[in-house]
Amino acid sequence: MNIFRLAADVLHVVSIFLLLLKIKTSHSCAGISLKTQFLYMIVFSTRYLDLFFTKPWHSALTFYNTIMKILFLSSSAYTIYLIRNRYKHTYDKVHDTFRIHYLIAGSAVLALVFHIRLTPFEIIWAFSVFLEAVAIMPQLLLLQETGQVENITSHYIFCLGSYRALYICNWIWRYFMEHRRNQWLAWACGTVQTLLYADFFYYYILSQRQGKKLRLP
Amino acid sequence: PSVGDNKDEL
């Protein structure tokens, strides 16, 4: 564990907290993509299958990871519940039109072609990594369709993007300090994922400087 | 699964 990894995870938790705070305080999930949340649910539930096999108390890191995994799984399930049930009438269904089955199918094909080992768990893990890289796309599309972005929603995406960027710092750190090599799959997907946020980052920082609400062109 | 040191991240 290094400072980049810890900061990244903290930002990930903060982003989830911001998302729930936005929905709860405004009693509305306007501007939030159900499709992105659904994709995250698939990502977490395919990646964290090892929860069934790993003893949480094996080490301090395993314990930490287990807590985080359960938190990510339960919070994304709860978010989906809020959007689909309690605040259903505020959900922007008309604009949330990204065809996610292409993302899911594409990730599945990529996972069958590129994986660390030819075992079911490795292929499912690769699938989750590919899918996570593109899971934010429906959310970004929704914001582009509607243009005006609520502050708290833009903070949410900013935290999520920063979390990925910090993971890259973490990988560079581990490459040199722990001689951790052969992580090409996670590195490549993590970099692609971070790049997807680049455009958003640009407008976010611009809007923060001007002290205005974020407006996407 | 045979995760090794390769899956110690979230």
Side-chain angles (χ1 to χ4, degrees):
Chain A
M1 179 70 74
N2 56 65
I3 187 72
F4 302 112
R5 160 85 198 272
L6 189 65
D9 289 344
V10 168
L11 275 179
H12 194 180
V13 174
V14 168
S15 75
I16 290 169
F17 174 77
L18 283 177
L19 182 72
L20 290 173
L21 188 73
K22 181 247 167 331
I23 297 176
K24 286 278 179 182
T25 52
S26 65
H27 302 286
S28 156
C29 55
I32 305 295
S33 167
L34 175 63
K35 298 199 168 178
T36 281
Q37 297 306 318
F38 181 64
L39 289 180
Y40 279 131
M41 186 70 220
I42 299 177
V43 167
F44 296 143
S45 41
T46 48
R47 183 169 316 160
Y48 300 154
L49 285 174
D50 66 298
L51 278 175
F52 294 110
F53 308 93
T54 312
K55 290 191 184 82
W57 47 86
H58 176 73
S59 70
L61 184 63
T62 329
F63 185 72
Y64 168 86
N65 282 343
T66 305
I67 299 285
M68 290 303 229
K69 287 170 184 177
I70 293 170
L71 180 71
F72 296 153
L73 273 165
S74 50
S75 63
S76 68
Y78 182 57
T79 310
I80 292 173
Y81 161 79
L82 287 180
I83 300 175
R84 289 195 52 165
N85 297 283
R86 191 146 359 142
Y87 302 113
K88 196 179 174 182
H89 55 287
T90 60
Y91 168 52
D92 196 357
K93 198 177 175 179
V94 184
H95 290 111
D96 194 15
T97 50
F98 203 99
R99 307 212 169 150
I100 55 169
H101 44 274
Y102 288 127
L103 296 180
I104 297 171
S107 304
V109 171
L110 280 173
L112 286 170
V113 180
F114 303 105
H115 41 257
I116 308 286
R117 271 182 235 106
L118 190 60
T119 64
F121 280 114
E122 287 293 342
I123 292 173
I124 292 171
W125 180 82
F127 167 76
S128 81
V129 171
F130 286 121
L131 192 62
E132 190 190 2
V134 291
I136 196 67
M137 285 168 85
Q139 177 67 66
L140 293 177
L141 179 83
L142 175 62
L143 293 186
Q144 247 152 24
E145 296 260 309
T146 47
Q148 190 89 29
V149 187
E150 276 185 66
N151 266 328
I152 198 158
T153 311
S154 58
H155 298 334
Y156 161 67
I157 300 168
F158 182 74
C159 283
L160 214 51
S162 312
Y163 136 67
R164 288 320 302 186
L166 281 166
Y167 252 85
I168 294 181
C169 303
N170 156 58
W171 292 327
I172 295 171
W173 174 273
R174 296 188 72 176
Y175 184 87
F176 289 109
M177 304 308 278
E178 299 170 21
H179 307 287
R180 193 168 179 272
R181 310 281 148 94
N182 287 328
Q183 299 293 315
W184 54 270
L185 214 155
W187 291 345
C189 294
T191 310
V192 169
Q193 191 180 356
T194 311
L195 288 176
L196 277 181
Y197 289 91
D199 188 53
F200 175 85
F201 277 157
Y202 174 75
Y203 292 108
Y204 177 84
I205 290 167
L206 217 64
S207 77
Q208 292 300 302
R209 276 215 189 138
Q210 297 166 346
K212 277 193 247 163
K213 256 190 178 181
L214 179 67
R215 252 196 98 82
L216 293 171
Chain B
S2 54
V3 287
D5 69 332
N6 143 40
K7 309 285 189 290
D8 60 352
E9 290 176 347
L10 296 162

